[in-house]
Amino acid sequence: AALAAGCAASPVPRYYRLVAEVPAATPAVAPVTAVIGPFAMAEYLARPQIVSAAGGNRLQIDDYERWAEPLDANFQAVVAANVGRLLGSDRVLEFPARAILAADQRVSGRIVRFDVDARGEAVLEVQWGVVDAAGDVRQPGRVSRYAATAAGGAMAARVAALNATVTAFSYDVAAALGAAP
């Protein structure tokens, strides 16, 4: 009975996801065709629980604050949606869309860091680049860092700050794709 009472008092997990926040642009006359992804995640992020930086080399994994879907897939989908909206193109799809879209360009990379620290600073560090349909480099690989401050200590505010870093990254990706001939 004591064991059953203890289980009944366990916190209920809460689920979060990243969302596209960019408003839709006017459709482009000659829409960009691009595939977004794949993006590999640092191994410490490959879990349903939300990971926070706890200072120094220490990470905190919260068992009751979780991503609603695999983070790599959610990240890729949001970047694709944001970039498509920014460029006014319905032909910016997420990987593995190469089977259904003859894309002019592909953006891929690796998420090196994606967490919020104890002060509430959300950080996204991503290695990324753009190649054309032939596999030639259009935008050389680079490391980009984005930061946003959470408005409060609640997990919803922390996830919103992480989402803001993904939106900032999306603007850079759209600029890189839009700069191509």
Side-chain angles (χ1 to χ4, degrees), residues 29-112:
V29 174
V32 170
T33 59
V35 171
I36 305 296
F39 280 92
M41 289 277 167
E43 289 299 317
Y44 82 95
L45 296 166
R47 64 186 72 247
Q49 299 90 350
I50 295 177
V51 178
S52 300
N57 295 340
R58 198 167 73 81
L59 297 173
Q60 178 177 326
I61 298 170
D62 192 327
D63 288 328
Y64 299 102
E65 307 285 358
R66 300 180 182 185
W67 294 110
E69 62 184 309
L71 184 56
D72 57 346
N74 187 206
F75 178 89
Q76 186 173 287
V78 169
V79 172
N82 281 340
V83 170
R85 290 175 182 180
L86 287 166
L87 296 176
S89 177
D90 62 354
R91 295 182 187 151
V92 176
L93 304 178
E94 50 183 298
F95 180 83
R98 290 187 302 183
I100 59 172
L101 176 71
D104 295 328
Q105 301 172 85
R106 187 181 83 234
V107 179
S108 62
R110 184 172 193 280
I111 308 307
V112 178

Side-chain angles (χ1 to χ4, degrees), residues 70-181:
L71 184 56
D72 57 346
N74 187 206
F75 178 89
Q76 186 173 287
V78 169
V79 172
N82 281 340
V83 170
R85 290 175 182 180
L86 287 166
L87 296 176
S89 177
D90 62 354
R91 295 182 187 151
V92 176
L93 304 178
E94 50 183 298
F95 180 83
R98 290 187 302 183
I100 59 172
L101 176 71
D104 295 328
Q105 301 172 85
R106 187 181 83 234
V107 179
S108 62
R110 184 172 193 280
I111 308 307
V112 178
R113 180 177 174 197
F114 191 62
D115 54 52
V116 181
D117 66 18
R119 296 181 322 255
E121 182 182 45
V123 175
L124 165 62
E125 288 182 15
V126 58
Q127 301 169 350
W128 65 287
V130 180
V131 297
D132 64 18
D136 295 327
V137 175
R138 299 291 307 159
Q139 293 284 328
R142 60 182 138 189
V143 178
S144 298
R145 184 180 192 277
Y146 307 87
T149 302
M155 187 56 72
R158 296 165 75 85
V159 170
L162 288 168
N163 206 102
T165 66
V166 177
T167 300
F169 173 61
S170 299
Y171 274 91
D172 283 352
V173 171
L177 293 175

Side-chain angles (χ1 to χ4, degrees), residues 17-28:
R17 63 190 304 256
L18 303 169
V19 295
E21 294 184 322
V22 175
T26 303

